[in-house]
Amino acid sequence: MNNERPSLSFWQIWNMCLGFMGIQFGFALQNANVSRIFQTLGADIDDIPILWVAAPLTGLIVQPIIGYMSDKTWGRLGRRRPYFFYGAIVTTAALLVMPNSPTLWVAAGMLWIMDASINVTMEPFRALVGDNLPNKQRALGYSLQSFFIGVGAVVASSLPWILSNWFDVSNTAAAGVIPESVQYAFYIGGAFLLVCVMWTVFTTKEYSPEQLAAFEQSESTLIPETQKQEIKFGRTMTVSGVIGAAIIALVTLMSLEKELYLLGAGLVAFALLQGIALWQQTKQYTENGFFAVVYDVFTMPTAMRQLAWVQFFSWFSLFAMWIYTTAAVTSYHYDTLDVTSKAYNDGADWVGVLFAAYNGFAALAALVIPVMVKRIGIRMTHGVNLIAGAIALISFMFIDDPSWLMLPMLGIGFAWASILSLPYAMLSTTLPSAKMGVYMGIFNFFIVIPQLLAASVLGLILKHGFANQPIYALVIGGISFVLGAIAVSRVKLVK
């Protein structure tokens, strides 16, 4: 008996993905304006990466937990939708508070809350595509998510510029005060996010656990089952613990930059997690969420391991761009470091427009990429798009007129759309539905880890190697895109 997932109509997929546009509205406002808010509240350029550390740390903790919990959830709102519902409410509240932060550390704390709630809302959306769509429609589902991400981010990224130039809302303010154009943009973004996510919550149905189990049984021949095995945590636990402790000791003894504590502490924390998992495995206490997540990290499917490197290099590039573009453009193209000056705020507004542009190009690229995949294959398509992003980021250093910075946004747009869809399309058919949420959460580690690395070492590289000139962060990002393109060429896809 054929009991595979039925195909959904275009409009059913549309409703299922629309909430992603709202999430991206908040995410784009965060990416384009948080560094600006930090600088306005007194942050130095070399302090910005460590202030951003709240976001990746939150994602590292929240994503696998929410993925695991949503795999086990079933209630009146279904399996994934309760997380959309409550996450959207908290994210909206955070967006309303963020631009009214009175001090730098309040803003850093609000970034933590905002990113946690965005992760609660966003992580199950990836799993929902795997839950509801048959394999043949998953690429369409992820591409439609990319389209909505692009459309939502176009408006969100350019909102401060639109409010300032079309509605005469002030884009300058007294020292330490966030301009009204940024404040109003966050208010609008919060309302838009809530409406879009609630649309998906109340127009999308989910399959019951019994139906999903029947689908899984019918489709079990597509995904080979893996035999439960005992993991040897001791070796990696020892290596990560020793290296982490050595980094912490060197930073303390040699008075190195405090950002390196983050790198050492992360390795020590990873060792401790493995130690707990090792103890649980020894005591045969393995039927719990903690052990399940750690175990799944060490038993990822082969394609997922290979794609992890692609994600790592791709997202390191993106975080370099998001963290440093405002500082790079205002200092390199507008020739100012004064955050209260009109030149600085004009440059920061222009960055918002540039971010809107690459998201607009990404929305168009989401329509072109499936055609590219048919002609040259999915790996080649992703590699080409990453190279386009590399050329675009490096070109910032060779463009003098800021108006010409619009041109590289085309390459960044194609890279962004590709990153948001093709790795997930390559991965999705290798994951069992019963563990779709937790595996998607683990896959997102390779979005979070490069951000932590960027926060801990990128500022140091600029300070000691490039005289604290943020334009070189974009060049480093371009090189990382090239490494991602090389990595994708090595991915072995399941036929």
Side-chain angles (χ1 to χ4, degrees):
M1 178 179 177
N2 186 358
N3 196 26
E4 296 181 2
R5 290 170 175 80
S7 297
L8 300 186
S9 71
F10 175 80
W11 292 112
Q12 286 174 312
I13 302 174
W14 175 281
N15 290 336
M16 183 174 65
C17 296
L18 183 66
F20 227 76
M21 179 164 64
I23 295 170
Q24 185 59 32
F25 217 88
F27 195 55
L29 282 170
Q30 173 182 296
N31 289 337
N33 295 283
V34 165
S35 289
R36 176 182 186 175
I37 291 172
F38 285 161
Q39 285 188 277
T40 299
L41 294 175
D44 294 328
I45 287 177
D46 54 355
D47 288 331
I48 290 176
I50 200 67
L51 290 169
W52 270 87
V53 76
L57 279 177
T58 304
L60 197 63
I61 297 168
V62 169
Q63 288 169 353
I65 293 174
I66 294 301
Y68 178 82
M69 290 174 61
S70 68
D71 284 339
K72 307 296 183 182
T73 295
W74 184 258
R76 188 165 58 89
L77 283 176
R79 190 184 193 191
R80 314 294 182 185
R81 288 178 295 160
Y83 300 92
F84 305 161
F85 183 88
Y86 294 110
I89 292 173
V90 179
T91 304
T92 297
L95 285 167
L96 298 180
V97 175
M98 180 69 172
N100 294 292
S101 300
T103 65
L104 179 60
W105 290 107
V106 171
M110 287 312 305
L111 175 61
W112 196 302
I113 295 171
M114 187 189 310
D115 207 76
S117 55
I118 286 176
N119 275 297
V120 169
T121 312
M122 179 172 61
E123 200 282 333
F125 261 98
R126 296 292 190 190
L128 184 64
V129 171
D131 288 345
N132 281 11
L133 295 181
N135 289 341
K136 63 183 179 181
Q137 286 192 311
R138 288 178 184 175
L140 173 61
Y142 290 123
S143 293
L144 197 55
Q145 283 186 351
S146 296
F147 174 78
F148 278 130
I149 287 170
V151 171
V154 166
V155 181
S157 298
S158 59
L159 259 183
W161 185 90
I162 291 172
L163 291 169
S164 177
N165 288 272
W166 295 0
F167 299 98
D168 293 324
V169 178
S170 176
N171 73 339
T172 60
V177 178
I178 297 163
E180 288 184 345
S181 60
V182 176
Q183 292 179 359
Y184 294 161
F186 274 72
Y187 302 157
I188 295 168
F192 190 81
L193 181 147
L194 190 64
V195 169
C196 288
V197 173
M198 292 306 169
W199 180 274
T200 291
V201 169
F202 293 110
T203 62
T204 300
K205 295 181 179 180
E206 294 187 76
Y207 294 115
S208 69
E210 293 76 18
Q211 289 173 306
L212 288 170
F215 293 146
E216 193 67 35
Q217 185 176 6
S218 178
E219 298 167 356
S220 61
T221 55
L222 300 176
I223 302 171
E225 294 187 5
T226 56
Q227 189 71 27
K228 196 79 169 179
Q229 56 182 310
E230 184 172 296
I231 303 299
K232 296 180 180 179
F233 294 109
R235 181 182 301 174
T236 53
M237 177 185 70
T238 302
V239 171
S240 57
V242 168
I243 294 175
I247 291 173
I248 292 173
L250 287 172
V251 173
T252 303
L253 295 173
M254 300 178 65
S255 299
L256 302 177
E257 281 81 356
K258 61 184 180 299
E259 289 86 349
L260 289 174
Y261 277 122
L262 177 63
L263 185 60
L267 289 168
V268 170
F270 183 50
L272 291 174
L273 293 176
Q274 292 175 81
I276 296 171
L278 177 61
W279 176 82
Q280 290 181 330
Q281 183 173 257
T282 302
K283 298 295 183 180
Q284 297 186 341
Y285 180 58
T286 58
E287 299 302 319
N288 60 82
F290 176 87
F291 184 84
V293 171
V294 178
Y295 179 87
D296 288 336
V297 168
F298 282 84
T299 57
M300 291 184 293
T302 300
M304 186 172 173
R305 290 178 181 273
Q306 295 168 336
L307 285 165
W309 287 105
V310 181
Q311 292 290 82
F312 176 88
F313 290 120
S314 302
W315 284 88
F316 185 89
S317 300
L318 291 172
F319 289 127
M321 179 182 73
W322 289 332
I323 293 171
Y324 280 105
T325 298
T326 297
V329 170
T330 53
S331 62
Y332 191 81
H333 300 92
Y334 283 79
D335 197 27
T336 182
L337 297 175
D338 181 3
V339 297
T340 65
S341 68
K342 188 175 187 306
Y344 175 89
N345 285 284
D346 285 345
D349 283 351
W350 184 236
V351 170
V353 176
L354 295 176
F355 278 22
Y358 88 70
N359 280 287
F361 290 132
L364 297 176
L367 305 177
V368 176
I369 286 173
V371 179
M372 295 175 63
V373 170
K374 287 183 179 180
R375 290 185 175 273
I376 63 175
I378 192 166
R379 289 188 306 170
M380 179 67 75
T381 298
H382 196 47
V384 167
N385 290 333
L386 292 180
I387 292 297
I391 295 170
L393 280 182
I394 294 171
S395 71
F396 267 66
M397 191 172 181
F398 301 97
I399 295 174
D400 294 323
D401 186 346
S403 62
W404 278 99
L405 294 176
M406 187 64 69
L407 184 60
M409 295 303 103
L410 178 62
I412 293 171
F414 267 81
W416 177 227
S418 194
I419 290 166
L420 290 172
S421 57
L422 296 190
Y424 295 97
M426 285 186 270
L427 178 66
S428 63
T429 57
T430 70
L431 302 181
S433 293
K435 303 184 76 171
M436 187 73 68
V438 68
Y439 270 132
M440 286 295 180
I442 291 171
F443 194 52
N444 284 336
F445 282 175
F446 305 103
I447 295 173
V448 172
I449 291 171
Q451 188 173 357
L452 285 170
L453 190 63
S456 60
V457 304
L458 194 51
L460 302 180
I461 293 172
L462 294 183
K463 181 177 180 179
H464 295 289
F466 300 101
N468 242 0
Q469 297 181 57
I471 190 68
Y472 286 100
L474 304 186
V475 176
I476 293 169
I479 294 170
S480 187
F481 266 144
V482 173
L483 295 175
I486 295 171
V488 78
S489 69
R490 301 174 63 85
V491 174
K492 295 180 181 180
L493 300 179
V494 177
K495 299 295 185 182

